[in-house]
Structure formats: structure tokens, C-alpha cells
Amino acid sequence: MYPERELHKTFISSETPVLPDNFNVEAFMEGMNDFKEFMMMYSCAIREVRTKFEVLNDDFSVAYRRNPIEMIKSRVKSPASIAGKLNRKGLPITMDSVLNNLNDVAGIRVICSFIDDIYMIADMFTSQDDITVIEVKDYIKNPKPNGYRSYHMIIEVPVFFSNRKKNMRVEVQLRTIAMDFWASLEHKMKYKKDIKAKDILRLEAELAECAEIIASTDLKMQKINDELNGVS
């Protein structure tokens, strides 16, 4: 979703706002313009990173006649989500605060066919000389207690604007199709408000069981693929 649309969703109401007597219209409009530029910078960072993964996938397709990447998803956090996260952390809601404290405003999710593809693509991507790896969390080798599996990286990429270069941080998640399917359902349950407490516990247990089945299936699919490709 374009940041301008998110901006309108957050700030524009059908009701006429009641403004304080000392409201500074010029300062408010300047802040809005700064915020649009700020969100544009994160959108551009996503395009830089997304293009890198698309190039890797295309190159791999020509060289090896297969695509290790099935799908790429991306998003920029909404203004409301950014403000909420800063508030929960007890941090000021300013643009400097976002840049200095939040690493996941811009996010890319790369869906791969097989587990080995995840590590291969991650290695190819981070080997590029303009990518700086800030943090890695491997939830495939070390799943979360609820069964969540994915490979997470916080990276920094230079983005060239009309009059400056800015290093922007992007969160990259790599997972298999099965991992993504599981995570989507777990996310849906997490934000569903009308589930009874006893049902939540039961569903969490069932999801944890599904996570183990999915992990086992991913490994079996990897083994079959290796055999088909003559990998011992």
C-alpha cells in the first residue's frame, strides 16, 4: 500500500477537526511534507531490496533453469503502527526516533521453495558489497516456542536520492511456502478478538503441532528435491 494512502487513512476524517487556538497551520503542513518524504524514503529502500532479490531469481532461472524464489511480498508500516510501536517502547514519536530505534518500518518477505534455497539466497544477497547486515535471527534452526519458523535479517542498503545518499534499514524475512502458510494463520489468530480463552489455548496447541508437521514436511520435500537433482 502506498504511504500516501496510509497517510490519508490515518489523518483525514469525515468530521471537521477541532483545532486548538494556537494551532500553527504552517508548521503542521511542513511536518506533513516531511513525513511524506520520510515514508517515500522507506518505500524506495523496499524497491532497492526487492530488485536485488528479483535479479537473483532471474539470474538463477537462466543459469540453472529454476526459480528458488516463489514470491516476494513487501510493506511499509502504517503511521499508526509506527506511532504505536514507539509509544509501547516509551520513545518519542518523531522521525529521528523512528530512524534511530525501529528497524522494521520497511519489510520484505521472500518465499522460497525449499529450506536450502533460503540459506543460499540469503548468502547471495548478503554477499553483495552494498549490503550491510545489522542482525540475523534464525528461527528455522531455533524456532520460537509457538512453532514459528523463518529466517530474519535486518540489513542496511544505500538509497540514492536526487541530492543525497541515505543508508536505510529494511527487515528481510525468508521462509518456505509452508512456513508462510502457517505464519499467516497464526497471525490471523493473534489479532482475532472474539476467541474464548479456552479456545485460544487449544488452537495454540494445534498450531504448534501443525508447525512440527510442516517442518517435517519441508525436510522431506528437501530430501526428495535433492534426490531428483542427484545431490547425495
Side-chain angles (χ1 to χ4, degrees):
M1 182 175 291
Y2 294 104
E4 289 82 5
R5 293 180 183 174
E6 289 288 354
L7 198 67
H8 280 252
K9 185 188 294 184
T10 304
F11 290 105
I12 294 182
S13 169
S14 58
E15 299 178 358
T16 303
V18 179
L19 302 176
D21 294 336
N22 62 346
F23 182 75
N24 188 324
V25 176
E26 290 184 3
F28 175 76
M29 293 307 296
E30 183 179 350
M32 289 287 282
N33 288 332
D34 288 344
F35 188 79
K36 286 183 179 180
E37 180 182 8
F38 174 76
M39 296 301 281
M40 175 275 295
M41 290 165 63
Y42 277 110
S43 294
C44 291
I46 281 179
R47 289 207 295 273
E48 290 280 352
V49 174
R50 186 185 187 104
T51 298
K52 286 178 175 292
F53 282 114
E54 289 173 345
V55 168
L56 285 174
N57 205 35
D58 289 347
D59 182 46
F60 209 89
S61 176
V62 171
Y64 302 103
R65 297 185 180 179
R66 78 177 188 89
N67 294 104
I69 297 174
E70 294 285 341
M71 186 187 308
I72 301 173
K73 304 176 184 179
S74 61
R75 63 104 181 96
V76 177
K77 276 185 178 293
S78 69
S81 179
I82 293 169
K85 190 162 188 178
L86 287 173
N87 187 53
R88 289 192 298 273
K89 289 176 173 283
L91 297 168
I93 302 175
T94 64
M95 284 177 274
D96 283 342
S97 184
V98 175
L99 287 169
N100 294 328
N101 297 288
L102 299 186
N103 292 326
D104 62 344
V105 174
I108 288 275
R109 184 171 297 149
V110 180
I111 314 301
C112 296
S113 304
F114 303 101
I115 293 174
D116 283 1
D117 290 337
I118 290 173
Y119 292 105
M120 177 188 68
I121 290 295
D123 184 59
M124 290 178 176
F125 174 73
T126 55
S127 295
Q128 297 182 16
D129 57 15
D130 59 345
I131 294 294
T132 301
V133 179
I134 306 299
E135 182 180 67
V136 173
K137 292 184 178 179
D138 190 343
Y139 295 117
I140 298 174
K141 293 180 178 176
N142 302 288
K144 289 186 178 183
N146 66 349
Y148 175 85
R149 288 168 169 82
S150 187
Y151 188 86
H152 289 202
M153 296 185 290
I154 303 297
I155 61 95
E156 211 167 61
V157 62
V159 182
F160 292 84
F161 300 100
S162 59
N163 59 355
R164 68 204 186 282
K165 179 182 81 170
K166 180 71 177 176
N167 290 325
M168 302 294 297
R169 291 193 175 184
V170 178
E171 181 188 47
V172 178
Q173 299 177 359
L174 296 102
R175 56 177 67 154
T176 64
I177 300 168
M179 292 173 193
D180 190 58
F181 173 53
W182 184 94
S184 296
L185 188 58
E186 193 271 342
H187 184 270
K188 181 179 179 180
M189 186 189 75
K190 183 186 296 183
Y191 289 95
K192 194 168 178 62
K193 304 297 184 183
D194 56 348
I195 306 178
K196 296 178 181 178
K198 64 177 183 178
D199 291 330
I200 289 177
L201 292 174
R202 174 179 56 81
L203 291 171
E204 286 177 344
E206 289 182 8
L207 272 172
E209 182 182 353
C210 286
E212 295 304 315
I213 294 170
I214 286 172
S216 176
T217 301
D218 267 335
L219 290 173
K220 287 180 180 178
M221 295 291 282
Q222 180 70 65
K223 185 177 178 181
I224 292 170
N225 186 61
D226 288 347
E227 188 172 337
L228 290 173
N229 292 329
V231 179
S232 57

